[in-house]
Amino acid sequence: HVQLVESGGGLVQAGGSLNLSCAATGKTNVLNCMGWFRQVSDKEREAVAVDESGTWTSYADFVKGRFTISRDLSRNILYLEMNNLQRDDSATYYCAVSTSDGCYGSSSSRPEFFRYWGQGTQVTVS
């Protein structure tokens, strides 16, 4: 199993920034594809950004140019730097891990591609 713990959420004004972190423990040899998703209570969970072993990344169109996903491979930590936050970015943000050996492009935009999930961290933009 893999345990994921997110941190870094909070309240920020529009135009501000936040940095999310996700620490992975447990079976860390399967962390090839990791991603950030977000969800508003009455909507489906949507992909924000994914990272394949620190060598390939993909972003949702609505965050391109504003968010950056990165990873510390030695410490098994996934990051999401969020800049120029807007009210529409308000959501619970989740870190996720797929046990696949890669992200396989658009496959990793689907929540069902991921097996392990963190508890989520709330981001509120006022």
Side-chain angles (χ1 to χ4, degrees):
H1 292 286
V2 176
Q3 295 78 42
L4 303 170
V5 178
E6 303 99 335
S7 61
L11 174 64
V12 64
Q13 291 185 338
S17 300
L18 283 174
N19 293 310
L20 306 184
S21 298
C22 171
T25 58
K27 194 176 180 183
T28 56
N29 62 317
V30 298
L31 301 180
N32 297 309
C33 184
M34 298 184 71
W36 288 99
F37 285 74
R38 70 186 188 185
Q39 186 172 25
V40 178
S41 59
D42 60 345
K43 296 184 179 179
E44 294 184 357
R45 193 167 294 190
E46 60 183 1
V48 174
V50 294
D51 174 285
E52 181 177 305
S53 301
T55 61
W56 177 85
T57 59
S58 179
Y59 295 89
D61 287 342
F62 53 78
V63 303
K64 284 182 179 177
R66 301 189 297 126
F67 292 11
T68 302
I69 189 171
S70 61
R71 200 198 295 209
D72 184 330
L73 295 172
S74 63
R75 298 171 62 197
N76 297 317
I77 299 176
L78 185 72
Y79 300 101
L80 185 67
E81 178 184 349
M82 306 187 293
N83 296 312
N84 191 22
L85 283 160
Q86 304 300 314
R87 288 190 176 184
D88 288 348
D89 295 317
S90 296
T92 301
Y93 283 72
Y94 297 90
C95 173
V97 169
S98 167
T99 55
S100 173
D101 58 359
C103 287
Y104 292 99
S106 61
S107 297
S108 54
S109 67
R110 298 179 289 112
E112 53 266 34
F113 186 76
F114 293 83
R115 179 173 180 180
Y116 298 105
W117 294 85
Q119 81 288 351
T121 185
Q122 180 66 38
V123 171
T124 303
V125 184
S126 63

